[in-house]
Amino acid sequence: MQYKAETPEDYINQLPDDRKAPMAKLRKTILENLPKGFEETISYGMIGYVVPFSIYPDGYHCDPKLPLPFMNIASQKNYIALYNMAIYATKEVYDWFVTEYPKHCKRKLDMGKSCIRFKYIDDIPYELIGELTSKITVDQWISYYESVIKNR
């Protein structure tokens, strides 16, 4: 589901009542653990965390008018989603997350390439998401991104 929001606060205010508190807590967890340099914004109709143009002026290769994406959170129809590009892009982060997840959550991991789906909002592993958020610095993300893009 996409919301017409201009700020993360607008996004959360438009959510159904049962989603507001978990999304606000998820956002707070991310902001408390987000490495310096990433910036919070609305990106792709979701709350996004990007490398701003002031740090990486080339932007995203798929659309250079957009800043380099790193992470998003969204309230979808049947779940809350966390999109983390480091999980998709780096085997080390993926392996770490898959190993740690069962230690923090009693439910089976529901994950796509970069999307982690939380169908049970009472069982979101906020502490683990905080750790995941802090795993990659802006410089590491840019370096990894450029190494992949230049090898295409």
PDB file of all heavy atoms in Angstrom, residues 4-19:
ATOM      1  N   LYS A   4       0.171   8.778   0.385  1.00  0.00           N
ATOM      2  CA  LYS A   4       0.602  10.068  -0.142  1.00  0.00           C
ATOM      3  C   LYS A   4       1.109  10.898   1.028  1.00  0.00           C
ATOM      4  O   LYS A   4       0.358  11.638   1.648  1.00  0.00           O
ATOM      5  CB  LYS A   4      -0.552  10.788  -0.847  1.00  0.00           C
ATOM      6  CG  LYS A   4      -1.139  10.011  -1.998  1.00  0.00           C
ATOM      7  CD  LYS A   4      -0.213  10.022  -3.179  1.00  0.00           C
ATOM      8  CE  LYS A   4      -0.891   9.313  -4.342  1.00  0.00           C
ATOM      9  NZ  LYS A   4       0.018   8.995  -5.405  1.00  0.00           N
ATOM     10  N   ALA A   5       2.371  10.726   1.330  1.00  0.00           N
ATOM     11  CA  ALA A   5       2.958  11.425   2.468  1.00  0.00           C
ATOM     12  C   ALA A   5       4.188  12.194   2.012  1.00  0.00           C
ATOM     13  O   ALA A   5       4.918  11.743   1.131  1.00  0.00           O
ATOM     14  CB  ALA A   5       3.346  10.421   3.549  1.00  0.00           C
ATOM     15  N   GLU A   6       4.385  13.338   2.626  1.00  0.00           N
ATOM     16  CA  GLU A   6       5.564  14.133   2.313  1.00  0.00           C
ATOM     17  C   GLU A   6       6.650  13.991   3.370  1.00  0.00           C
ATOM     18  O   GLU A   6       7.800  14.322   3.121  1.00  0.00           O
ATOM     19  CB  GLU A   6       5.173  15.597   2.133  1.00  0.00           C
ATOM     20  CG  GLU A   6       4.299  15.796   0.910  1.00  0.00           C
ATOM     21  CD  GLU A   6       4.065  17.258   0.599  1.00  0.00           C
ATOM     22  OE1 GLU A   6       4.886  18.106   1.017  1.00  0.00           O
ATOM     23  OE2 GLU A   6       3.057  17.542  -0.065  1.00  0.00           O
ATOM     24  N   THR A   7       6.264  13.502   4.550  1.00  0.00           N
ATOM     25  CA  THR A   7       7.225  13.304   5.628  1.00  0.00           C
ATOM     26  C   THR A   7       6.950  11.962   6.292  1.00  0.00           C
ATOM     27  O   THR A   7       5.840  11.428   6.188  1.00  0.00           O
ATOM     28  CB  THR A   7       7.103  14.412   6.709  1.00  0.00           C
ATOM     29  OG1 THR A   7       5.847  14.258   7.378  1.00  0.00           O
ATOM     30  CG2 THR A   7       7.245  15.804   6.109  1.00  0.00           C
ATOM     31  N   PRO A   8       7.935  11.414   7.002  1.00  0.00           N
ATOM     32  CA  PRO A   8       7.687  10.178   7.748  1.00  0.00           C
ATOM     33  C   PRO A   8       6.541  10.322   8.754  1.00  0.00           C
ATOM     34  O   PRO A   8       5.757   9.390   8.935  1.00  0.00           O
ATOM     35  CB  PRO A   8       9.025   9.913   8.439  1.00  0.00           C
ATOM     36  CG  PRO A   8      10.029  10.525   7.509  1.00  0.00           C
ATOM     37  CD  PRO A   8       9.358  11.782   7.013  1.00  0.00           C
ATOM     38  N   GLU A   9       6.412  11.480   9.366  1.00  0.00           N
ATOM     39  CA  GLU A   9       5.322  11.701  10.317  1.00  0.00           C
ATOM     40  C   GLU A   9       3.971  11.626   9.609  1.00  0.00           C
ATOM     41  O   GLU A   9       3.019  11.028  10.121  1.00  0.00           O
ATOM     42  CB  GLU A   9       5.470  13.061  11.016  1.00  0.00           C
ATOM     43  CG  GLU A   9       6.649  13.160  11.949  1.00  0.00           C
ATOM     44  CD  GLU A   9       7.969  13.503  11.249  1.00  0.00           C
ATOM     45  OE1 GLU A   9       7.991  13.745  10.013  1.00  0.00           O
ATOM     46  OE2 GLU A   9       8.996  13.506  11.948  1.00  0.00           O
ATOM     47  N   ASP A  10       3.881  12.236   8.412  1.00  0.00           N
ATOM     48  CA  ASP A  10       2.651  12.155   7.616  1.00  0.00           C
ATOM     49  C   ASP A  10       2.320  10.702   7.301  1.00  0.00           C
ATOM     50  O   ASP A  10       1.161  10.293   7.363  1.00  0.00           O
ATOM     51  CB  ASP A  10       2.788  12.897   6.278  1.00  0.00           C
ATOM     52  CG  ASP A  10       2.813  14.400   6.410  1.00  0.00           C
ATOM     53  OD1 ASP A  10       2.427  14.925   7.469  1.00  0.00           O
ATOM     54  OD2 ASP A  10       3.231  15.057   5.430  1.00  0.00           O
ATOM     55  N   TYR A  11       3.332   9.956   6.935  1.00  0.00           N
ATOM     56  CA  TYR A  11       3.133   8.539   6.588  1.00  0.00           C
ATOM     57  C   TYR A  11       2.511   7.800   7.774  1.00  0.00           C
ATOM     58  O   TYR A  11       1.490   7.125   7.634  1.00  0.00           O
ATOM     59  CB  TYR A  11       4.468   7.906   6.192  1.00  0.00           C
ATOM     60  CG  TYR A  11       4.348   6.476   5.724  1.00  0.00           C
ATOM     61  CD1 TYR A  11       4.254   6.183   4.368  1.00  0.00           C
ATOM     62  CD2 TYR A  11       4.319   5.420   6.629  1.00  0.00           C
ATOM     63  CE1 TYR A  11       4.132   4.867   3.926  1.00  0.00           C
ATOM     64  CE2 TYR A  11       4.199   4.107   6.198  1.00  0.00           C
ATOM     65  CZ  TYR A  11       4.114   3.836   4.843  1.00  0.00           C
ATOM     66  OH  TYR A  11       3.987   2.532   4.422  1.00  0.00           O
ATOM     67  N   ILE A  12       3.116   7.930   8.931  1.00  0.00           N
ATOM     68  CA  ILE A  12       2.625   7.214  10.120  1.00  0.00           C
ATOM     69  C   ILE A  12       1.230   7.691  10.513  1.00  0.00           C
ATOM     70  O   ILE A  12       0.370   6.882  10.876  1.00  0.00           O
ATOM     71  CB  ILE A  12       3.632   7.334  11.280  1.00  0.00           C
ATOM     72  CG1 ILE A  12       4.884   6.512  10.928  1.00  0.00           C
ATOM     73  CG2 ILE A  12       3.012   6.866  12.601  1.00  0.00           C
ATOM     74  CD1 ILE A  12       6.040   6.647  11.878  1.00  0.00           C
ATOM     75  N   ASN A  13       0.952   8.982  10.390  1.00  0.00           N
ATOM     76  CA  ASN A  13      -0.365   9.506  10.750  1.00  0.00           C
ATOM     77  C   ASN A  13      -1.484   8.975   9.858  1.00  0.00           C
ATOM     78  O   ASN A  13      -2.639   8.939  10.269  1.00  0.00           O
ATOM     79  CB  ASN A  13      -0.369  11.032  10.731  1.00  0.00           C
ATOM     80  CG  ASN A  13       0.386  11.618  11.899  1.00  0.00           C
ATOM     81  OD1 ASN A  13       0.513  10.998  12.948  1.00  0.00           O
ATOM     82  ND2 ASN A  13       0.917  12.814  11.707  1.00  0.00           N
ATOM     83  N   GLN A  14      -1.150   8.548   8.640  1.00  0.00           N
ATOM     84  CA  GLN A  14      -2.152   8.023   7.715  1.00  0.00           C
ATOM     85  C   GLN A  14      -2.441   6.537   7.920  1.00  0.00           C
ATOM     86  O   GLN A  14      -3.380   6.004   7.342  1.00  0.00           O
ATOM     87  CB  GLN A  14      -1.683   8.227   6.266  1.00  0.00           C
ATOM     88  CG  GLN A  14      -1.627   9.661   5.842  1.00  0.00           C
ATOM     89  CD  GLN A  14      -1.104   9.821   4.434  1.00  0.00           C
ATOM     90  OE1 GLN A  14      -1.371   9.005   3.558  1.00  0.00           O
ATOM     91  NE2 GLN A  14      -0.339  10.871   4.209  1.00  0.00           N
ATOM     92  N   LEU A  15      -1.661   5.878   8.726  1.00  0.00           N
ATOM     93  CA  LEU A  15      -1.816   4.432   8.914  1.00  0.00           C
ATOM     94  C   LEU A  15      -3.053   4.102   9.744  1.00  0.00           C
ATOM     95  O   LEU A  15      -3.497   4.905  10.555  1.00  0.00           O
ATOM     96  CB  LEU A  15      -0.578   3.868   9.623  1.00  0.00           C
ATOM     97  CG  LEU A  15       0.745   3.993   8.895  1.00  0.00           C
ATOM     98  CD1 LEU A  15       1.883   3.483   9.783  1.00  0.00           C
ATOM     99  CD2 LEU A  15       0.715   3.240   7.586  1.00  0.00           C
ATOM    100  N   PRO A  16      -3.567   2.871   9.579  1.00  0.00           N
ATOM    101  CA  PRO A  16      -4.628   2.410  10.479  1.00  0.00           C
ATOM    102  C   PRO A  16      -4.104   2.432  11.919  1.00  0.00           C
ATOM    103  O   PRO A  16      -2.900   2.269  12.158  1.00  0.00           O
ATOM    104  CB  PRO A  16      -4.895   0.973  10.020  1.00  0.00           C
ATOM    105  CG  PRO A  16      -4.346   0.889   8.634  1.00  0.00           C
ATOM    106  CD  PRO A  16      -3.224   1.881   8.564  1.00  0.00           C
ATOM    107  N   ASP A  17      -4.996   2.615  12.863  1.00  0.00           N
ATOM    108  CA  ASP A  17      -4.603   2.758  14.269  1.00  0.00           C
ATOM    109  C   ASP A  17      -3.731   1.617  14.775  1.00  0.00           C
ATOM    110  O   ASP A  17      -2.784   1.848  15.536  1.00  0.00           O
ATOM    111  CB  ASP A  17      -5.835   2.899  15.164  1.00  0.00           C
ATOM    112  CG  ASP A  17      -6.501   4.258  14.997  1.00  0.00           C
ATOM    113  OD1 ASP A  17      -5.851   5.188  14.482  1.00  0.00           O
ATOM    114  OD2 ASP A  17      -7.677   4.386  15.388  1.00  0.00           O
ATOM    115  N   ASP A  18      -4.000   0.387  14.360  1.00  0.00           N
ATOM    116  CA  ASP A  18      -3.225  -0.754  14.859  1.00  0.00           C
ATOM    117  C   ASP A  18      -1.809  -0.802  14.303  1.00  0.00           C
ATOM    118  O   ASP A  18      -0.975  -1.549  14.800  1.00  0.00           O
ATOM    119  CB  ASP A  18      -3.952  -2.073  14.574  1.00  0.00           C
ATOM    120  CG  ASP A  18      -4.053  -2.401  13.094  1.00  0.00           C
ATOM    121  OD1 ASP A  18      -4.166  -1.469  12.268  1.00  0.00           O
ATOM    122  OD2 ASP A  18      -4.032  -3.603  12.762  1.00  0.00           O
ATOM    123  N   ARG A  19      -1.513   0.002  13.293  1.00  0.00           N
ATOM    124  CA  ARG A  19      -0.170   0.019  12.697  1.00  0.00           C
ATOM    125  C   ARG A  19       0.670   1.209  13.151  1.00  0.00           C
ATOM    126  O   ARG A  19       1.884   1.204  12.989  1.00  0.00           O
ATOM    127  CB  ARG A  19      -0.268   0.052  11.164  1.00  0.00           C
ATOM    128  CG  ARG A  19      -0.906  -1.172  10.534  1.00  0.00           C
ATOM    129  CD  ARG A  19       0.032  -2.372  10.588  1.00  0.00           C
ATOM    130  NE  ARG A  19      -0.549  -3.526   9.961  1.00  0.00           N
ATOM    131  CZ  ARG A  19      -0.349  -3.896   8.703  1.00  0.00           C
ATOM    132  NH1 ARG A  19       0.410  -3.170   7.918  1.00  0.00           N
ATOM    133  NH2 ARG A  19      -0.922  -4.976   8.221  1.00  0.00           N
TER     134      ARG A  19
END
